[in-house]
Amino acid sequence: MTQVETVRGPVDADSLGVTLMHEHVFILNEEVRVNYPEDYPDGWNEDDQVDSAITKLAELAGRGCRTIVDPTVVGLGRDIHRIRRVADGTELNIIVATGLYTYNDVPFYFTYRLPGLPGSGRADPMTALFVRDIQTGIADTDVKAAFLKCAVDEPGLTPGVERVLRAVCQAHAETGAPITVHTHPRSGTGREVMRVLREEGVDLTKVVLGHSGDTTDLDYLTELADTGCLLGMDRFGLDLITPFDDRVSTVAALCERGYAEQLVLSHDASCYIDWFPPAVVPQFAPSWHYQHLFDDVLPALRERGVSDDQIDTMLVANPRRYFGG
Ligand SMILES: [Zn+2]
């Protein structure tokens, strides 16, 4: 039986159960938070935020969810100590990632740490950090990342983004860890990602093209799914980008065409995200929370003819296969 690393340690892949494949716990700009804590609503109280996250995850567990997959990496404010406190207070499995989140340049820390420079060796030094997170543990903990994450958004394969993507591929080659790439379907970046993944010899069945559900273009989606990868229909609740009915219809149409085994479902929501003033989120995205899928999306999918078997495939079997079970 394949074991999957979670924040509380390894579990059997078979025990992952209903899995949301793209949910964040905290998305923070840590340097801003540390310097301007008073700009956060009521200031930032670490204990309160951890408690609030535990409450929200308990509600999610109450809907039958067993596991969330959290692709929060450097660039999104990853803090494994904070996540470990949350994991200790929830029955849910939390699976964490390594990688780097940027749409353009690499952080200056990496700008002058290049392959071939003194102290760097021939491989990209970023790759060794990703591998360490997977094989040894994140920061000073023994919590291991179970997958790799990077982003190719509207700007496409900028030099910085391509460097991160290739470092992710090399860490995948070294460790076998699966990959999730944030894509921007409306500019077709899923195709650019697949080209690089093929060049790097990545096992395409171990790849999620995140945010694929932001488009309704079935030709684009089936072209990518036919490579063997998984499509992340993972932004339910972000109706401003793509309306609810379109998101649901797209999943239903793909299921009808036999693609249930290539789809995973999620919200890309978080317990706390500092990208927006908190009062604004319920206004522009009232359904953008962990319960939306269970309360609204699954009933709508069933109404459109998606079977319980297909839902089980998307929520249980595909995540288990992705993590190797
Ligand atoms: Zn995300």
Side-chain angles (χ1 to χ4, degrees), residues 22-24 27 71 76 101 149 182 211 235 268-269:
H22 193 127
E23 306 294 345
H24 301 272
I27 293 185
L76 290 169
Y101 189 86
K149 161 78 183 295
H182 160 121
H211 314 329
R235 278 183 156 176
D268 196 12

Side-chain angles (χ1 to χ4, degrees), residues 91-296:
E91 59 189 285
L92 285 177
N93 300 307
I94 303 177
I95 296 177
V96 292
T98 184
L100 185 66
Y101 189 86
T102 178
Y103 296 171
N104 290 291
D105 300 323
V106 294
F108 279 110
Y109 181 85
F110 295 105
T111 304
Y112 307 108
R113 286 174 167 87
L114 287 163
L117 291 186
S120 291
R122 278 175 48 217
D124 193 317
M126 220 183 278
T127 304
L129 301 185
F130 301 160
V131 169
R132 186 202 296 161
D133 281 352
I134 293 165
Q135 293 183 336
T136 309
I138 297 170
D140 56 348
T141 74
D142 56 3
V143 176
K144 291 173 185 163
F147 69 112
L148 290 141
K149 161 78 183 295
C150 61
V152 185
D153 200 77
E154 202 164 5
L157 286 176
T158 67
V161 164
E162 183 167 355
R163 185 181 160 194
V164 176
L165 179 58
R166 289 190 189 275
V168 159
C169 293
Q170 283 149 24
H172 161 84
E174 241 177 283
T175 64
I179 299 173
T180 290
V181 186
H182 160 121
T183 65
H184 189 266
R186 285 179 190 174
S187 39
T189 65
R191 291 192 178 105
E192 292 178 78
V193 169
M194 294 314 275
R195 180 177 60 76
V196 174
L197 296 185
R198 280 206 183 89
E199 283 174 17
E200 295 285 340
V202 168
D203 175 356
L204 300 182
T205 68
K206 294 291 179 184
V207 174
V208 171
L209 292 181
H211 314 329
S212 292
D214 283 353
T215 183
T216 58
D217 182 345
L218 292 174
D219 291 337
Y220 172 82
L221 292 171
T222 54
E223 174 194 324
L224 292 173
D226 286 339
T227 67
C229 73
L230 289 156
L231 304 179
M233 313 306 275
D234 53 15
R235 278 183 156 176
F236 281 102
L238 279 174
D239 300 340
L240 269 187
I241 299 175
T242 307
F244 173 80
D245 280 334
D246 288 350
R247 290 186 186 276
V248 169
S249 301
T250 304
V251 171
L254 288 168
C255 285
E256 203 181 325
R257 294 179 187 202
Y259 286 98
E261 287 184 8
Q262 312 294 134
L263 309 178
V264 291
L265 308 177
S266 215
H267 307 96
D268 196 12
S270 38
C271 293
Y272 189 96
I273 177 168
D274 72 4
W275 290 16
F276 320 97
V280 169
V281 176
Q283 288 172 28
F284 81 83
S287 299
W288 195 33
H289 54 73
Y290 295 150
Q291 280 82 50
H292 180 47
L293 193 84
F294 299 93
D295 292 354
D296 308 309

Side-chain angles (χ1 to χ4, degrees), residues 59-86:
E59 286 164 14
L60 176 57
R63 299 295 202 280
C65 182
R66 295 272 73 86
T67 302
I68 62 165
V69 176
D70 181 350
T72 307
V73 292
V74 169
L76 290 169
R78 184 181 73 172
D79 180 335
I80 200 62
H81 297 282
R82 188 179 291 136
I83 293 297
R84 195 152 66 167
R85 288 186 63 196
V86 174

